[in-house]
Amino acid sequence: MMIALLIVGSLTLVTLVLVNDWMRRRDCDRRYRFGIAIWMLIGFLTVWFQGAVGIIGDTDNVANLAFIAIPLMALAQALLPRFERQPMATISRWLAVASLTVVVIELAIQSGADGPIWPADVIGVGSVFAAGWWLAAYCFDPPTNTETSRASR
């Protein structure tokens, strides 16, 4: 188990470095970079939480796979439009909805009800992730005319 966590952690670190390098080469503004950083942070935290303790109950709880599926969906959906602004904003909004949906479903089926801090763990983590996806959506939205004119001054 420890070797698997080491491999996943190493792959996550390599991915973060490669995305950071790609961001430096691509001509984009700070808001877009911040949105990508939020995506990377949420993906990293999801993998880290799952590997360390599990978000719902413990690491053996199958319901945890729902939280892992969300960053995987994010990556798969972002590759199709080649990380363009408007599709990324829409994807981020849907990922926020997906995070809250996982929370609602988990509260309904109560598969982690035997956990020591149930249901605060599921509600807290799901809400923080959903807020992160919404913040990323805001960052990916194209700047308005007033923001563009302020930036050019």
Side-chain angles (χ1 to χ4, degrees), residues 34 38-39 42 92-93 95-97 99-100 103 123-139:
F34 189 65
I38 292 170
W39 271 49
I42 293 173
S92 296
R93 287 185 187 92
L95 293 171
V97 170
S99 293
L100 294 176
V103 170
I123 295 171
V125 171
S127 300
V128 168
F129 285 174
W133 293 122
W134 277 110
L135 181 60
Y138 169 76
C139 292

Side-chain angles (χ1 to χ4, degrees), residues 60-123:
D60 295 332
N61 193 333
V62 179
N64 282 315
L65 294 177
F67 275 107
I68 283 288
I70 294 172
L72 293 176
M73 287 187 320
L75 182 60
Q77 292 173 356
L79 287 172
L80 293 175
R82 295 189 179 136
F83 296 94
E84 292 298 322
R85 282 190 103 97
Q86 194 56 46
M88 292 287 284
T90 304
I91 292 167
S92 296
R93 287 185 187 92
W94 281 109
L95 293 171
V97 170
S99 293
L100 294 176
T101 302
V102 168
V103 170
V104 169
I105 291 171
E106 179 53 36
L107 291 175
I109 63 173
Q110 298 186 357
S111 70
D114 56 346
I117 56 172
W118 170 263
D121 53 352
V122 176
I123 295 171

Side-chain angles (χ1 to χ4, degrees), residues 1 5 8 42-71 102 121-122 125 129:
M1 179 67 172
L5 288 177
V8 169
I42 293 173
F44 172 75
L45 288 177
T46 303
V47 171
W48 185 32
F49 290 168
Q50 292 297 93
V53 293
I55 296 173
I56 303 169
D58 59 4
T59 55
D60 295 332
N61 193 333
V62 179
N64 282 315
L65 294 177
F67 275 107
I68 283 288
I70 294 172
V102 168
D121 53 352
V122 176
V125 171
F129 285 174

